[in-house]
């Protein structure tokens, strides 16, 4: 069997918008993805439904998979003819052990590519308002490992060179060794007043910072119980933070939102919330399973109504694959929403909204919404696909919950409540327990009623059921105990 190919991809520091175009394309074509703890799990949403996902996460006190096992898996999957992505947080060449993985692939003559990513040591400071170089403050910059593979884990570095010759130093994953770092920089000449900042979960909405000096930062870390993952930045350039801090000024910065989902496609609402600085976890994760479609009677209808843009795509794909001449379909076309109308227009079909549909005439509904059948009792329904909970994302969702501190849950529609509660139950999680001391926001009166039907409590709703109104509502509502 011909060997597959491996892409060793840098996922960037956290914000999914910071992955490279080439890295994203690799994810989209992957048949197997081995991903790290610090690679944002939301990037896995771009993988195909049947992609195999393997977690290789590492914590300071334990390894899910050791590096040797990861190397073996890369080789095994590639030799089976698979397209494999190794997804690593930040840049794979900066403390990412990509050299070891590439060497293992070379040994078996497996083709591979290395796709660079944005390193956390540069990105996290920028999201905290700090460029690592500046003509007036810093003309040199170094990235340094804050621990090594020795028994004590304390790195053997040229401390004198770092202290005397480098203006800005970024230490990776070194919170546990911070006193050791400060002690050595002070010993070799760095002033005790030198600014230090720790940036935890850099570029995520949950990003936190802790600022001090070489003299007092270690005590502050103990007091605040600050922990990894964090970048430690040392240098006078930190003074710029007061002038050019930008990320922390976003309307929803610091919000950690759990968004109830009803569709399998990308969410514009989630995108807007993230653009405004929030962390967003979407649940449940759905996948669509295509169903066989019988087009025998499709030419006999006078009206065809599409319940969603996805149904439009599925219907026309089937028509094309069947070899049917589209001109034989003489029905007038209608859509449930502006998005459905737009999807039809992109297919060269002029359609109208359902409100303009006459009562007379044989009607075919393309979709799977049972409420439509109740409204149009004499219609036939053509179901193009069915939606299923994607269970391979359940452990991913649980890990995301463990590392987040959810303060807000958003239900965008009444139909999102039951799948959310049932999906949590499938995960072994009680919705009532999860939403204790969490702000529950409902988009509309019907949604509030649905939330209350499940014994949950909503703090209210935005003025309109739009993403802009939701952002305004959340920005005005301070996160507090419920």
């Amino acid at each position: 069997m011909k060997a597959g190919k491996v892409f060793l991809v840098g996922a960037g520091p956290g914000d999914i918008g910071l992955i490279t175009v080439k890295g994203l394309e690799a994810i989209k074509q992957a048949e197997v993805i081995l991903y790290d703890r610090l690679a944002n799990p939301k990037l896995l949403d771009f993988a195909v439904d049947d992609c195999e996902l393997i977690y290789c996460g590492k914590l300071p006190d334990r390894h899910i998979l050791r590096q040797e096992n990861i190397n073996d898996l890369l080789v095994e999957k590639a030799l089976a003819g698979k397209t494999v992505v190794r997804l690593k947080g930040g840049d794979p060449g900066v403390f990412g052990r990509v050299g070891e993985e590439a060497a293992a692939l070379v040994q078996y003559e497996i083709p591979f590519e290395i796709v660079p990513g944005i390193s956390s040591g540069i990105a996290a400071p920028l999201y905290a308002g700090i460029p690592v170089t500046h003509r007036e403050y810093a003309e040199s910059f170094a990235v340094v490992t804050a621990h090594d593979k020795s028994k004590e884990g304390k790195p053997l570095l040229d401390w004198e060179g770092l202290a005397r010759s480098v203006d800005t130093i970024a230490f990776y994953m070194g919170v546990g060794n911070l006193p050791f770092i400060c002690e050595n920089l002070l010993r070799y000449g760095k002033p005790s007043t030198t600014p230090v900042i720790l940036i935890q979960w850099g570029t995520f909405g949950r990003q936190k910072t802790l600022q001090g000096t070489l003299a007092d930062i270690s005590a502050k870390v103990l007091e605040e119980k600050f922990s990894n993952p964090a970048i430690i930045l040392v240098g006078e350039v930190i003074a710029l933070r007061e002038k050019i801090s930008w990320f922390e000024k976003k309307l929803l910065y610091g919000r950690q939102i759990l968004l109830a989902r009803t569709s399998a496609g990308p969410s514009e609402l989630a995108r807007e919330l993230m653009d405004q600085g929030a962390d967003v976890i979407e649940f449940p994760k759905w996948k669509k399973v295509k169903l066989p479609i019988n087009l025998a009677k499709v030419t006999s209808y006078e009206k065809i109504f599409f319940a969603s843009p996805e149904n439009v795509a599925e219907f026309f794909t089937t028509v094309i694959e069947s070899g049917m001449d589209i001109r034989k379909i003489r029905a007038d076309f209608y859509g449930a929403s502006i998005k459905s109308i737009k999807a039809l227009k992109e297919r060269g079909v002029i359609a109208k909204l359902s409100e303009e549909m006459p009562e007379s005439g044989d009607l075919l509904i393309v979709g799977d919404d049972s409420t439509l059948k109740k409204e149009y009792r004499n219609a036939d329904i053509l179901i193009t696909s069915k939606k299923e909970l994607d269970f391979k994302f359940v452990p991913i969702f649980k890990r995301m919950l463990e590392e987040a501190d959810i303060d807000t849950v958003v239900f965008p529609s009444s139909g999102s409540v039951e799948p959310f509660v049932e999906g949590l139950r499938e995960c072994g999680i009680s919705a009532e327990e999860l939403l204790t001391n969490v702000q529950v926001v409902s988009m509309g009166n019907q949604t509030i009623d649905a939330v209350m039907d499940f014994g949950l409590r909503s703090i209210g709703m935005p003025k309109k059921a739009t993403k802009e109104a939701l952002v305004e509502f959340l920005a005005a509502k301070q996160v507090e105990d419920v």
Side-chain angles (χ1 to χ4, degrees), residues 120 123-130 175 178 196-212 217 220-221 223-227 229-233 238 241-242 245-249 253-254:
S120 301
L126 283 174
Y127 269 55
I130 307 165
V175 175
L178 183 58
V196 182
I197 190 169
L198 276 71
I199 308 163
Q200 183 188 63
W201 290 111
T203 80
F204 283 87
R206 74 191 79 153
Q207 174 179 300
K208 289 183 180 180
T209 58
L210 183 64
Q211 194 166 338
I217 191 65
K220 287 185 175 183
V221 165
E223 184 180 346
E224 297 293 330
K225 298 180 180 179
F226 219 77
S227 62
I231 290 291
I232 302 168
L233 200 71
I238 293 170
R241 170 174 159 77
E242 293 182 12
S245 176
W246 62 275
F247 183 56
E248 293 159 11
K249 293 177 181 176
Y253 167 74

Side-chain angles (χ1 to χ4, degrees), residues 290-310:
K290 290 184 178 180
L291 298 175
I293 302 175
N294 186 349
L295 298 174
K297 290 177 59 182
V298 75
T299 57
S300 66
Y301 295 97
E302 297 167 83
K303 302 175 294 183
I304 300 180
F305 174 85
F306 293 88
S308 73
E310 292 84 5

Side-chain angles (χ1 to χ4, degrees), residues 231-404:
I231 290 291
I232 302 168
L233 200 71
V234 180
E236 298 295 338
V237 75
I238 293 170
L240 288 171
R241 170 174 159 77
E242 293 182 12
K243 294 181 181 179
I244 62 174
S245 176
W246 62 275
F247 183 56
E248 293 159 11
K249 293 177 181 176
K250 290 201 169 197
L251 284 174
L252 301 182
Y253 167 74
R255 279 270 184 177
Q256 297 188 52
I257 299 172
L258 183 55
L259 175 64
R261 291 297 312 277
T262 57
S263 63
S267 167
E268 290 185 14
L269 181 56
R271 180 74 265 172
E272 178 66 20
L273 295 172
M274 288 188 288
D275 285 345
Q276 296 297 337
D279 265 353
V280 181
I281 299 175
E282 300 173 68
F283 182 81
K285 169 68 175 174
W286 300 99
K287 65 178 180 179
K288 279 204 166 185
V289 179
K290 290 184 178 180
L291 298 175
I293 302 175
N294 186 349
L295 298 174
K297 290 177 59 182
V298 75
T299 57
S300 66
Y301 295 97
E302 297 167 83
K303 302 175 294 183
I304 300 180
F305 174 85
F306 293 88
S308 73
E310 292 84 5
N311 298 141
V312 173
E314 291 160 354
F315 177 82
F316 278 90
T317 297
T318 302
V319 168
I320 293 168
E321 290 175 350
S322 71
M324 175 183 286
D325 187 341
I326 193 69
R327 292 172 298 182
K328 291 183 178 180
I329 302 176
R330 301 187 179 276
D332 292 326
F333 286 71
Y334 298 88
S337 65
I338 296 295
K339 288 183 181 179
S340 298
I341 299 296
K342 183 180 178 182
L344 286 162
K345 188 176 181 180
E346 290 172 352
R347 300 280 180 169
V349 176
I350 302 301
K352 299 178 181 179
L353 285 168
S354 56
E355 295 86 58
E356 302 177 59
M357 188 165 59
E359 292 185 8
S360 61
D362 291 336
L363 170 64
L364 174 68
I365 297 173
V366 181
D368 57 0
D369 193 336
S370 59
T371 61
L372 292 173
K373 181 63 176 175
K374 295 176 184 177
E375 186 175 351
Y376 304 102
R377 295 183 183 279
N378 297 321
D380 293 333
I381 291 187
L382 182 64
I383 300 176
T384 57
S385 64
K386 66 177 180 178
K387 200 168 52 178
E388 294 181 350
L389 190 65
D390 195 337
F391 283 98
K392 72 181 176 185
F393 277 86
V394 168
I396 296 171
F397 171 67
K398 287 183 175 180
R399 279 195 297 273
M400 292 174 77
L401 279 185
E402 287 173 2
E403 296 193 328

Side-chain angles (χ1 to χ4, degrees), residues 60-252:
D61 59 344
R62 65 183 184 276
H63 288 188
I64 303 299
L65 283 177
R66 293 198 168 275
Q67 189 61 51
E68 296 79 8
N69 302 124
I70 295 171
N71 296 350
D72 291 344
L73 270 172
L74 290 173
V75 170
E76 175 190 327
K77 298 297 181 181
L79 289 178
K82 303 287 187 180
T83 299
V84 183
V85 164
R86 173 74 173 103
L87 194 61
K88 310 166 79 70
D91 180 273
V94 181
F95 310 124
R97 304 185 73 170
V98 73
E100 298 169 50
E101 293 170 355
L105 298 172
V106 167
Q107 184 179 350
Y108 288 87
E109 299 183 347
I110 294 169
F112 67 91
E113 290 187 29
I114 301 175
V115 182
I118 298 175
S119 182
S120 301
I122 297 171
L126 283 174
Y127 269 55
I130 307 165
V132 294
T133 63
H134 189 278
R135 286 192 300 175
E136 295 180 16
Y137 292 91
E139 294 183 345
S140 57
F141 167 62
V143 293
V144 181
T145 180
H147 61 274
D148 61 18
K149 58 183 180 180
S150 66
K151 187 175 182 180
E152 293 185 353
K154 291 180 167 49
L156 295 172
L157 301 171
D158 179 5
W159 291 105
E160 183 175 6
L162 286 173
R164 298 185 184 279
S165 305
V166 182
D167 296 321
T168 308
I169 313 170
F171 291 93
Y172 282 58
M173 303 295 283
V175 175
N177 279 336
L178 183 58
F180 177 76
I181 292 168
C182 295
E183 176 188 333
N184 279 279
L185 291 177
L186 289 169
R187 178 183 300 166
Y188 287 98
K190 278 284 187 193
S192 61
T193 56
T194 302
V196 182
I197 190 169
L198 276 71
I199 308 163
Q200 183 188 63
W201 290 111
T203 80
F204 283 87
R206 74 191 79 153
Q207 174 179 300
K208 289 183 180 180
T209 58
L210 183 64
Q211 194 166 338
T213 65
L214 284 175
D216 64 16
I217 191 65
S218 295
K220 287 185 175 183
V221 165
L222 287 174
E223 184 180 346
E224 297 293 330
K225 298 180 180 179
F226 219 77
S227 62
N228 283 319
I231 290 291
I232 302 168
L233 200 71
V234 180
E236 298 295 338
V237 75
I238 293 170
L240 288 171
R241 170 174 159 77
E242 293 182 12
K243 294 181 181 179
I244 62 174
S245 176
W246 62 275
F247 183 56
E248 293 159 11
K249 293 177 181 176
K250 290 201 169 197
L251 284 174
L252 301 182

